Amino acid sequence: MKIYFNGKLVDREDAVISVFDHGLLYGDGVFEGIRTYDSLVFRLKEHIDRLYKSADAISLTIPLNKTEMMEAVITTLKANKLSEAYIRLVVTRGPGDLGLDPRKCKKPTIFIIADKIALYPKEFYQKGLDIVTATTKRNLPQALDPRIKSLNYLNNILAKIDAIKSGTAEAIMLTHDDYVAECTGDNIFIVAGGELLTPPTDVGALEGITRDAVIGIARRTDVPVFEKMLRMEDVYGASEVFLTGTAAEIIPVVKVDERVIADGTPGKMTLKLWDEFKKLTKTDGVRY
Ligand code: PMP
């Protein structure tokens, strides 16, 4: 396996970072999770835009421009001869000293890993997921905005531990005032009264690339779609619930906190949107 590491392709063993790197010491950095389908990087430009937006939000200047960064992703994919891959692109503040001061970090660390993709088991898609509400609340956007895809993912990890303790694969995270934000690694949608609804991201959710794609599909296919503040009661009473994410794509949810959603099977609109999404993954991106 070849890893892109600060401008070079190196062997896996040689892709090592300093213990003084602030990405490691403080979670000071940003990242992206990107997927390829049959030698097409799905929505690469959108992922790169989000990466630079996240970096900007933490005052981190990436020493490559967006075109160079896209080329680095493609170079890594080609070097590993992968046509179906999951890409992890990370930019840290770089090595500094033991203090917090980011000005001491002179050179950001950039690495890109392209690996085989690990998917949810097929039966999750056929039968639908069973999820819970996390007891861990979502970070306040005024403290650490969840729209920044930063290396500081402990808020999500704590909620993921809540899910694991409940024997489920995902958990819904609520804002401090009990509005639905998203899941630990996926956005959430519900169908209610024939409308497709998802929480606005400023309540504390990532602006998911898949979320955006689904909203686009809905608009194109005349499905009424709205960003709306949601409570758990809306989720429990929904006719369909599904999650979206780069790895998960669109995954139906059939049970939340032991309550069965509608008739307990993946919903019609979910399956239709997933079908349309699959078509998009054949064309919407950059070929390599
Ligand atoms: N929310 C969170 C917290 C995430 O980490 C992710 C990505 N895994 C998503 C939502 C989904 O975003 P995307 O569709 O861009 O993968």
Side-chain angles (χ1 to χ4, degrees), residues 50 149 153 156 182 184-187 206 208-210 244-246:
R50 187 172 66 183
K149 201 164 167 66
Y153 246 49
N156 306 51
E182 61 172 342
T184 70
D186 303 292
N187 291 108
L206 188 73
I209 305 292
T210 321
T244 62
T246 292

Side-chain angles (χ1 to χ4, degrees), residues 146-204:
R147 284 178 294 186
I148 304 170
K149 201 164 167 66
S150 84
L151 293 179
N152 215 306
Y153 246 49
L154 261 186
N155 185 219
N156 306 51
I157 291 167
L158 293 177
K160 180 80 176 184
I161 291 170
D162 293 338
I164 294 164
K165 281 185 180 157
S166 311
T168 62
E170 254 294 13
I172 296 175
M173 300 184 74
L174 301 177
T175 62
H176 72 285
D177 50 357
D178 287 329
Y179 284 101
V180 175
E182 61 172 342
C183 289
T184 70
D186 303 292
N187 291 108
I188 186 165
F189 285 81
I190 69 169
V191 179
E195 292 177 343
L196 183 59
L197 307 172
T198 191
T201 55
D202 56 10
V203 301

